[in-house]
Amino acid sequence: MSEISHFLSESVSFGLCISLIGFWLADLLYKKTRFVLFAPLLTSCTAIIIFLVIFKIPYEKYLAGAHFLYYLMTPCTVALAIPLYRQFTKLKENALAILLGIIGGILANGFFIFAMCAVFKINHAEYVSLLPKSITTPIGIALSNQNGGIESVTILLISIAGNMANIFGIIFCRLFRITEPVAQGVACGTSGHAMGTSKAFELGEVQGAMSGLSIAVCGVLTVVILPFFVNLL
């Protein structure tokens, strides 16, 4: 076991290979079962964590090999502008509704966290760590640090929020009979950032485009609105 662990830890491509293989297998499992809790992102992350623990491979060693994937995040994010450009007419037609929907999502998130933290007597540092949970990670970390939050807690909650949107986004749309593609996209992007957007693209290009737009707008508006909530508790 130790020899295998040492070999994998020292392999420069180990992190990249296990990430790609893990997601590929998780995607096959999801396509075979269509079980909501087998969402590829959640299943692959869980499997990789278990693998690292069993073989006692430090996270830093894994990240050294998987770091290449981080470089793909920028072009992937920029690529979201392509479906948005294709749906520009629909964006103009629904601009006000989209803006109000995003603001409504930010306010609902803020008031919900405030209420829960007030009820359970959560301290201020943890409270401000929870507030940016529904926006993209770089902005969320910056806001958390700026307001005296705990960075690791913020990262964890952003990941959980994204996974929940990815897993349950379609279910909630069906449950509340949200059939308008623009509304579905705004809901996924505002509540679940990039992970919610990946699920929105499964619904259609309009949903994906609106969700991608919501990531950026939600991040900018959260920077403006968040100080109001920071001072509430």
Side-chain angles (χ1 to χ4, degrees):
M1 181 74 76
S2 60
E3 293 180 358
I4 296 176
S5 300
H6 178 73
F7 172 77
L8 293 176
S9 297
E10 298 305 317
S11 173
V12 294
S13 59
F14 160 68
L16 176 62
C17 289
I18 192 176
S19 298
L20 295 177
I21 293 173
F23 187 84
W24 175 63
L25 292 175
D27 188 51
L28 286 179
L29 177 63
Y30 178 71
K31 288 178 179 178
K32 287 288 186 181
T33 62
R34 288 296 173 181
F35 183 50
V36 65
L37 293 181
F38 285 165
L41 190 61
L42 180 63
T43 308
S44 59
C45 288
T46 304
I48 290 171
I49 290 172
I50 293 173
F51 186 91
L52 295 179
V53 171
I54 291 175
F55 287 93
K56 298 179 180 179
I57 300 172
Y59 173 72
E60 291 74 17
K61 294 288 187 179
Y62 161 76
L63 185 61
H67 197 265
F68 171 75
L69 295 174
Y70 280 96
Y71 294 110
L72 298 178
M73 292 179 67
T74 299
C76 286
T77 303
V78 173
L80 291 175
I82 298 174
L84 183 61
Y85 175 76
R86 291 174 180 166
Q87 303 297 331
F88 191 69
T89 302
K90 190 167 284 291
L91 170 62
K92 290 193 298 182
E93 293 173 352
N94 299 276
L96 181 59
I98 293 170
L99 180 61
L100 292 177
I102 294 172
I103 293 174
I106 295 171
L107 293 176
N109 175 69
F111 281 117
F112 175 78
I113 292 174
F114 167 72
M116 291 297 100
C117 289
V119 169
F120 292 103
K121 302 187 185 324
I122 303 296
N123 65 45
H124 184 75
E126 293 169 343
Y127 167 63
V128 296
S129 302
L130 298 175
L131 284 174
K133 72 173 181 62
S134 292
I135 58 176
T136 187
T137 305
I139 300 177
I141 292 174
L143 289 175
S144 180
N145 290 333
Q146 178 183 328
N147 294 293
I150 305 168
E151 182 176 311
S152 57
V153 173
T154 301
I155 294 173
L156 174 63
L157 265 296
I158 289 174
S159 178
I160 292 174
N163 275 295
M164 291 301 100
N166 186 277
I167 295 171
F168 297 109
I170 294 177
I171 294 176
F172 275 103
C173 285
R174 291 172 180 169
L175 181 64
F176 293 100
R177 298 181 181 178
I178 301 173
T179 57
E180 169 56 47
V182 174
Q184 291 176 336
V186 170
C188 289
T190 302
S191 61
H193 46 86
M195 297 183 192
T197 300
S198 68
K199 180 59 66 174
F201 272 109
E202 292 183 19
L203 293 172
E205 185 170 309
V206 174
Q207 290 91 329
M210 296 304 121
S211 185
L213 171 68
S214 298
I215 297 175
V217 177
C218 183
V220 173
L221 291 180
T222 299
V223 172
V224 177
I225 297 173
L226 193 71
F228 167 75
F229 289 100
V230 168
N231 297 320
L232 286 181
L233 189 65

